[in-house]
Amino acid sequence: MSDFTRPALVGLPGDRTAVREIATSAVTTLSAVLVLFAMLAPNGLDRLTPEAFVRLPVEALLGVAVVLMLRDGARRIVALGAGAVLGVLTVVKAIDIGFGIALNRRFNPVFDWGVVGNGVDLLGTSIGQGAAIASVVGLALLAVVVVVLMALSVLRLSRVVAGHRTGSTRVVAVLGVIWIVCAVFGVQLAPGQPLASRSAVAFAYEDLRQVRADLRDRKAFADEVAVDAFRDTPPAGLLNALRGKDVLFTFIESYGRVAVQDSDIAPKVDAVLDAGTARLKNAGYGSRSAFLTSPTTSAGSWLAHSTFQSGVWVDSQRRYDDFVKTDRFTLGGAFKRAGWETVGVVPAHTEDWPEGKVYGYDRYYDSRSIGYHGPPFSYATMPDQFTLSAFQRAERAKAGHPPLMAEIDLVTSHWPWTPLPRAVEWNAVGDGSIYNPMPSQGKTPDEVFTDPAKVRGAYGDSIAYSLNSLISYVETYGDDDLVLVFLGDHQPNPIVAGEGADHDVPISVVTKDKAVLDKIAGWNWQDGLNPDRNATVWKMDTFRDRFLTTFAR
């Protein structure tokens, strides 16, 4: 036979059969790998290690046993259904990992879909709204593909098992005995990684338990909201020690304990706070500081705002959704009843916020109504200095204005912390057009997020900017009647705060009026703007009642 005749042999039936068998074996192997991955994969990035996949899942053994007991029609239905469920659990695990990175907690499959929407909005500020929507659509399609592939994979494996009943029975019997022995004796290949695994079952059970616990918590939360010692307090019994004062509650986004203690960020921020304490003291101001434990971390600022104002613990989206439907007595409501004009300044809001009526604001400024004509800085719709300047012009600069209470939310220090604006002279802030060239002069998120050290540095720079803006505001526009309470809403993302960080945020009171500081002497807060590790720590939901009690008379 010559060399020119050899290629014709490729087309023989035996070769096609061999290729088909190889392809069939490859598809079966890939199906088994996909199903085992879905069963064994953890729902936390920190647990996604090679050891996590060297385990024997009881779900696989039970699945083989069920397949061996079923006829073909029932087997196909059960296999497709079980595969689809496993696919959904895999998608939820992936979402859990995302929530762990962004929010340092698990995803709640019943109540957290609103948070996903907020995440899309946040993504839109970084890559554009169109690209964010396209990304979400792509992820949704990927989730559907995962569910379909998982169902088909389980179906294929069930056919293999049904076609080799004797061998499958022997294998599952042997592995079943091994699983029981390993479970009884707690055999582990690595700490926290038992060889006898029940990952998928345990995961689904934990989710069901969480949903059931949340449903039970709904009544408990309603009972908590209903008990309010201040709800029926008359105006004469509220806030008498603050009469005539402008009281500003100002939240600094992501201003957490990590900014001031035990991190490579702290020296820079501590220097700002220590210098700020001295600057304000020279201007005649005293200050006291402590920590509050926030109900949230990494994100979910609205949970902290509602907890602080309402005196109830709002630590989930479900609790927040229930809270805004109540008539809970808030700090805003207390000041309004006592005769103050109340103002909300929320520059992060780009859409209507009807639920904000729970706070009792007479006036409300968002990104559309505050008069900003400058550029956004990633997520931040405007620089903090502009927010403070616009509030001053619209409210406190008016001659003979009535006493004001305001909640002002500052957003420059929101993730991704870059690019940052520069401080300008207060009389140059104007409508914000002075900031137009600044975003292009700063670093992009893509440049910063290649290096964890750069991320922490950008976070520290953003906190320093927010604090300096606030301190400079007091120096420039403060007077004898100003009482400023500023605090963080939550710790930053675990990329900055670290895994397992506490939920503590700094809080400070600043005023020229010594009588106000004397009133809070019993709080045992530390002098100055920079609380150390020995500072008082309160839960955030206790602040409202302590504040209203202290300043009642």
Side-chain angles (χ1 to χ4, degrees), residues 33-41 53 86-87 89-90 93 150 200:
V33 169
L34 182 61
V35 170
L36 286 172
F37 179 87
M39 290 180 174
L40 294 173
F53 297 96
L86 187 58
L89 290 178
T90 303
K93 283 183 182 180
M150 201 67 68

Side-chain angles (χ1 to χ4, degrees), residues 138-414:
L139 290 172
L141 290 174
L142 179 60
V144 172
V145 169
V146 168
V147 173
V148 171
L149 282 179
M150 201 67 68
L152 294 177
S153 296
V154 173
L155 178 61
R156 182 172 192 85
L157 294 176
S158 72
R159 289 172 182 161
V160 173
V161 169
H164 302 80
R165 288 184 176 274
T166 301
S168 298
T169 301
R170 290 172 179 170
V171 170
V172 78
V174 172
L175 292 179
V177 171
I178 293 174
W179 190 93
I180 292 171
V181 171
C182 291
V184 169
F185 291 98
V187 178
Q188 296 184 3
L189 296 181
Q193 301 287 359
L195 185 61
S197 166
R198 50 185 182 88
S199 301
V201 171
F203 177 75
Y205 178 66
E206 287 173 10
D207 265 5
L208 289 174
R209 283 186 61 190
Q210 183 59 51
V211 169
R212 186 172 59 183
D214 284 341
L215 291 173
R216 284 200 306 266
D217 182 62
R218 191 161 227 159
K219 182 181 184 307
F221 182 67
D223 293 341
E224 187 178 340
V225 169
V227 177
D228 191 342
F230 292 92
R231 182 191 300 275
D232 300 319
T233 305
L238 291 169
L239 301 164
N240 290 293
L242 292 173
R243 296 286 173 184
K245 304 294 185 186
D246 288 342
V247 183
L248 312 184
F249 297 101
T250 303
F251 281 92
I252 298 176
E253 171 66 37
S254 300
Y255 177 39
R257 185 187 284 269
V258 69
V260 299
Q261 283 177 20
D262 302 326
S263 71
D264 54 350
I265 304 157
K268 177 186 296 183
V269 176
D270 287 343
V272 171
L273 291 170
D274 292 341
T277 299
R279 286 162 55 187
L280 292 180
K281 186 175 182 180
N282 289 338
Y285 292 90
S287 54
R288 302 288 184 274
S289 298
F291 289 100
L292 300 182
T293 301
S294 173
T296 184
T297 185
S298 302
S301 305
W302 54 95
L303 305 182
H305 300 170
S306 53
T307 295
F308 181 81
Q309 282 244 23
S310 70
V312 290
W313 193 247
V314 185
D315 63 345
S316 68
Q317 187 62 36
R318 194 265 310 150
R319 279 194 163 211
Y320 178 79
D321 292 341
D322 287 349
F323 159 71
V324 296
K325 298 172 185 175
T326 70
D327 61 350
R328 177 73 181 184
F329 195 53
T330 61
L331 284 174
F335 276 92
K336 185 173 183 176
R337 183 181 295 178
W340 273 258
E341 290 199 1
T342 56
V343 180
V345 184
V346 191
H349 285 184
T350 58
E351 299 176 356
D352 292 343
W353 186 44
E355 60 268 30
K357 64 184 180 182
V358 73
Y359 297 113
Y361 297 139
D362 293 309
R363 289 180 296 283
Y364 165 69
Y365 300 91
D366 64 11
S367 64
R368 302 166 299 177
S369 60
I370 201 169
Y372 183 63
H373 295 284
F377 290 77
S378 291
Y379 176 85
T381 53
M382 63 196 67
D384 294 343
Q385 188 180 8
F386 176 87
T387 301
L388 294 167
S389 177
F391 166 74
Q392 177 67 23
R393 291 194 303 268
E395 297 291 344
R396 296 192 67 238
K398 292 179 180 177
H401 72 270
L404 295 169
M405 173 270 175
E407 181 188 317
I408 305 173
D409 301 337
L410 303 180
V411 295
T412 294
S413 53
H414 194 289

